[in-house]
Amino acid sequence: MDRRRGLSYQRIGIFREQPMSGHGEPIPMTARKSGPLRGVAEVPGDKSISHRALILGALAVGETTVTGLLEGQDVLDTAEAMRAFGAEVTRTGEGAWSVHGVGVGGFAEPKQVIDCGNSGTGVRLIMGAMATSPVTATFTGDASLNKRPMGRVTDPLTLFGAHAYGRRGGRLPMTVVGADDPVPVRYAVPVPSAQVKSAVLLAGLNAPGQTIVIEKDATRDHTERMLRGFGAELTSEDRAEGRVITLTGQPELRPQTVAVPRDPSSAAFPVCAALIVEGSDILVPGVSQNPTRNGLYTTLVEMGADIAFENPREEGGEPVADLRVRASTLKGIEVPEERAASMIDEYPILSVVAAFADGTTVMRGVKELRVKESDRIDAMARGLEACGVGIEEEEDVLIVHGMGPKGVPGGATAKTRIDHRIAMSFLILGLAARKPVGIDDGAPIATSFPVFENLMKGLGADIGRAER
Ligand SMILES: O=C(O)C1=C[C@@H](OP(=O)(O)O)[C@@H](O)[C@H](O)C1
Ligand SMILES: C=C(OP(=O)(O)O)C(=O)O
């Protein structure tokens, strides 16, 4: 611990010794080779859409009701944050929530530090949402979130007139002083990031005039869809420079009824498990097929996956389908770089599937994985190597040499590094590897997929807590 820095934070009165949020005791878990997976996997609501429903509900005037909200810790932390900014947020039933919003520009100043736990989406979107209101807030998170870069969000927020004071390197804990007289901004997002884009758009809500965001590679568009749904004037055009999104500031947002579709990033785990566990045949209903999110599914089909996209329809303003998935013989492929944004959270589980494929899978353009809950390229590479899989890695590339019919040896314990997706990926690997695969800590799974263990067991997966 840097004592000098700790003291100076205390002197300026911002960073008193705040307890860092955590996930309690580690939960070691083990997965073993399983018989065919069968049944229906009803995965929880979309995490990205759940955060946005709470934040936009808090910025609307009147009562927004949400059904199918993901009740994972990341989203619960956002709910708590919205209360701290003055919204009334109530759970009315399973996945059913009510938000009485305070209106654009109506945020109150929080009386306590905002703890966003493990959630990059939560902290970055909330910073954006408050940055153009005359309030000051201090944000913190767990040991993983406090290592992640926040400058990518606070840089554009300062253009609106906000100020940010954090640890060196733009790390949490960080205090954001909202602009008294915000100005609108034109901003080309330098990294492919829906969180940065969304933070700028949410800040633009309380700036007069038009805020324009340009993204070279289109990232998930839930913020744009939902802003329109809440009555904001927003246009999105694909031009030579990329996707140009124009938002007219200071709208009165109208409260909505939001039905959150199921999360394609969570669905990825049972889907990929069914593909690699011999004889499996499962149904995963109502999974969002938003084109800015479905890159994994396109990739799996290219690898030879037997997935039927049944009953395509629209739910909660998003295209959804029921996925019927059967165990498949897969081949390694090159995943095109331009697909990365539409499957950014799915590379860890794709690298597991790739380990069982015949031939090599090359994933390029993936360096954003290094600044997620963990350095996901390193976490997957080390864990897969320990399980007997050949890996090559560069700053922006991950290559997996599939074991094909030989199968994956397994027989190792992977470090999950406070990263839910790493934890779930290695448990899925264990279901099809020759020897059991352990993880040192399954607790982070509760951030995005609290029912993961029971859902997978319900399909027939041999997953358990602690060594047996
Ligand atoms: O906007 C969002 O809801 C998210 C955007 C992505 O992050 P980046 O914006 O950092 O790529 C993704 O990894 C994260 O899980 C959710
Ligand atoms: C990267 C993720 O989330 P966040 O950035 O919100 O922590 C994720 O869920 O994989």
Side-chain angles (χ1 to χ4, degrees):
M1 148 119 188
D2 182 338
R3 283 175 165 272
R4 255 179 324 140
R5 199 173 297 162
L7 275 176
S8 65
Y9 290 154
Q10 290 203 359
R11 198 168 306 136
I12 58 174
I14 295 173
F15 305 120
R16 292 185 194 289
E17 282 295 310
Q18 289 293 334
M20 201 160 56
S21 71
H23 304 278
E25 285 298 299
I27 304 176
M29 296 176 76
T30 306
R32 292 161 195 273
K33 196 168 175 63
S34 300
L37 304 180
R38 294 281 159 85
V40 179
E42 296 197 329
V43 303
D46 189 89
K47 176 156 72 74
S48 294
I49 296 176
S50 296
H51 282 294
R52 286 158 173 82
L54 294 174
I55 295 170
L56 287 187
L59 290 171
V61 179
E63 186 189 5
T64 287
T65 54
V66 188
T67 55
L69 188 93
L70 167 66
E71 294 177 332
Q73 193 56 47
D74 277 14
V75 176
L76 299 180
D77 288 338
T78 288
E80 196 53 38
M82 290 303 98
R83 289 188 187 113
F85 281 101
E88 208 179 290
V89 184
T90 321
R91 183 178 193 262
T92 56
E94 207 186 310
W97 289 66
S98 148
V99 185
H100 283 272
V102 294
V104 168
F107 270 177
E109 187 161 271
K111 293 190 181 62
Q112 69 274 33
V113 170
I114 304 294
D115 187 345
C116 289
N118 191 242
S119 179
T121 309
V123 73
R124 292 183 176 130
L125 269 57
I126 296 167
M127 280 180 176
M130 58 73 60
T132 46
S133 292
V135 296
T136 295
T138 298
F139 297 88
T140 192
D142 67 7
S144 156
L145 189 60
N146 287 2
K147 281 192 207 147
R148 295 174 69 184
M150 295 298 141
R152 52 177 53 198
V153 167
T154 54
D155 286 352
L157 296 184
T158 59
L159 304 176
F160 286 96
H163 297 279
Y165 307 94
R167 285 168 55 229
R168 277 176 202 286
R171 302 298 196 260
L172 301 176
M174 182 173 266
T175 294
V176 179
V177 181
D180 286 328
D181 291 305
V183 291
V185 154
R186 181 186 173 90
Y187 191 69
V189 185
V191 283
S193 166
Q195 292 175 5
V196 177
K197 167 178 69 178
S198 302
V200 176
L201 289 172
L202 292 173
L205 276 178
N206 199 36
Q210 291 191 327
T211 285
I212 300 171
V213 187
I214 302 151
E215 50 175 8
K216 197 156 75 53
D217 306 298
T219 62
R220 66 192 66 194
D221 61 0
H222 308 302
T223 303
E224 297 93 297
R225 285 173 186 253
M226 210 181 274
L227 276 170
R228 275 200 212 97
F230 275 77
E233 199 181 313
L234 180 143
T235 60
S236 176
E237 274 179 82
D238 289 329
R239 298 199 202 139
E241 66 214 278
R243 185 164 285 186
V244 181
I245 303 150
T246 306
L247 170 73
T248 302
Q250 300 186 327
E252 176 165 316
L253 297 183
R254 291 189 298 268
Q256 297 298 302
T257 303
V258 182
V260 181
R262 298 183 197 277
D263 195 322
S265 301
S266 298
F269 295 100
V271 165
C272 290
L275 291 174
I276 60 176
V277 174
E278 225 176 289
S280 298
D281 184 349
I282 66 164
L283 186 73
V284 192
V287 179
S288 167
Q289 289 300 300
N290 179 321
T292 61
R293 291 288 298 280
N294 69 357
L296 173 76
Y297 299 95
T298 309
T299 303
L300 292 173
V301 169
E302 283 175 11
M303 293 173 83
D306 182 351
I307 306 178
F309 298 85
E310 295 172 352
N311 195 14
R313 59 197 182 275
E314 185 138 315
E315 270 177 20
E318 298 270 335
V320 303
D322 303 330
L323 310 190
R324 174 93 190 262
V325 188
R326 296 179 180 88
S328 307
T329 304
L330 301 165
K331 60 178 192 299
I333 63 160
E334 285 251 355
V335 186
E337 195 167 339
E338 57 281 7
R339 196 178 289 160
S342 68
M343 55 179 291
I344 195 65
D345 294 340
E346 283 67 77
Y347 284 101
I349 188 62
L350 176 65
S351 65
V352 166
V353 171
F356 290 90
D358 212 354
T360 297
T361 295
V362 183
M363 300 165 239
R364 292 186 202 282
V366 294
K367 66 171 182 292
E368 273 296 302
L369 295 183
R370 297 205 181 269
V371 291
K372 299 292 181 188
E373 283 81 331
S374 68
D375 175 341
R376 288 179 171 167
I377 297 180
D378 191 63
M380 290 311 300
R382 301 294 80 78
L384 285 168
E385 276 168 355
C387 290
V389 181
I391 296 293
E392 288 173 68
E393 162 196 355
E394 290 168 28
E395 177 59 17
D396 200 22
V397 186
L398 177 62
I399 299 172
V400 177
H401 297 288
M403 310 292 288
K406 282 205 300 275
V408 174
T413 296
K415 289 197 169 62
T416 58
R417 310 184 189 191
I418 326 183
D419 190 329
H420 52 130
R421 304 221 188 265
I422 302 302
M424 291 186 278
S425 296
F426 281 107
L427 289 175
I428 300 297
L429 178 80
L431 301 180
R434 287 203 293 275
K435 290 197 194 131
V437 174
I439 56 170
D440 62 347
D441 186 11
I445 294 171
T447 61
S448 72
F449 200 162
V451 297
F452 172 80
E453 185 182 347
N454 284 341
L455 181 143
M456 291 306 303
K457 281 180 176 164
L459 298 174
D462 186 352
I463 290 180
R465 295 190 174 211
E467 321 288 4
R468 285 167 296 159

